[in-house]
Amino acid sequence: MTHAHITTWLIAIILFFVVNALLKSKKDKQAKITHMVLRLFYILIIVTGVIITVGLSKIDGEYIGKIILGILTIGMMEMVLAKVKKGKPAKVFWILFFVIFILTVLLGLRLPLGFWVFK
Ligand code: HEM
């Protein structure tokens, strides 16, 4: 299940950049459709995350932190796209997105399931 979780958020990140590029090049219709697919992937990220969480024997603070960061990452993607769509400055949200995303991945990898990048 951690593999499914990683697959869903990797695809979501790619779609996020695609939607951003489509919005920037004023391809509104394609952007709208891709954004809808991206939102479907948010649901899949949350569903796979919840399935992993339900299977845990003990949930500590690090897990709660990981879940909050995961949800915030999704929130920041939506904020960036909302600003780009309106043609407003999105710099602050881009920075927040990158910082929160990196923290989410680092904390995710630190936690015991799945890949052991850090011991
Ligand atoms: C874009 C958002 C997210 C990213 C980038 C992300 C990233 C990651 C990464 C890198 C891992 C480690 C996988 C491994 O070591 O095999 C992970 C695990 C996990 N994620 Fe997420 N995640 C996101 C959203 C969520 C959400 C929304 C939830 C909860 C509803 C969640 C719950 C979990 C849980 C419970 C684990 C298992 C931790 C462990 O014990 O290794 N994640 N995630």
Side-chain angles (χ1 to χ4, degrees), residues 10-96:
L10 264 179
I11 295 173
I13 297 292
I14 295 165
L15 287 173
F16 167 65
F17 285 106
V18 173
V19 178
N20 176 55
L22 288 170
L23 284 173
K24 287 245 153 117
S25 50
K26 298 267 174 276
K27 292 188 176 134
D28 288 345
K29 203 173 171 201
Q30 288 99 316
K32 201 172 185 171
I33 297 165
T34 319
H35 201 165
M36 274 167 60
V37 180
L38 172 61
R39 288 188 171 133
L40 184 76
F41 271 88
Y42 294 156
I43 297 171
L44 294 176
I45 297 171
I46 295 169
V47 168
T48 51
V50 167
I51 293 174
I52 302 171
T53 311
V54 168
L56 295 169
S57 53
K58 193 170 139 273
I59 300 171
D60 60 16
E62 273 190 317
Y63 273 104
I64 296 166
K66 165 68 189 55
I67 293 166
I68 293 171
L69 282 173
I71 293 165
L72 281 177
T73 309
I74 296 174
M76 288 310 124
M77 293 201 260
E78 276 301 292
M79 289 308 292
V80 168
L81 294 179
K83 293 284 170 193
V84 173
K85 203 171 175 179
K86 289 181 189 153
K88 288 189 181 165
K91 198 174 165 190
V92 176
F93 291 107
W94 272 114
I95 296 168
L96 282 171

Side-chain angles (χ1 to χ4, degrees), residues 2-4 6 108-119:
T2 52
H3 286 90
I6 293 172
L109 292 175
R110 218 188 90 88
L111 285 167
L113 299 178
F115 298 108
W116 271 96
V117 178
F118 311 106
K119 283 235 171 172

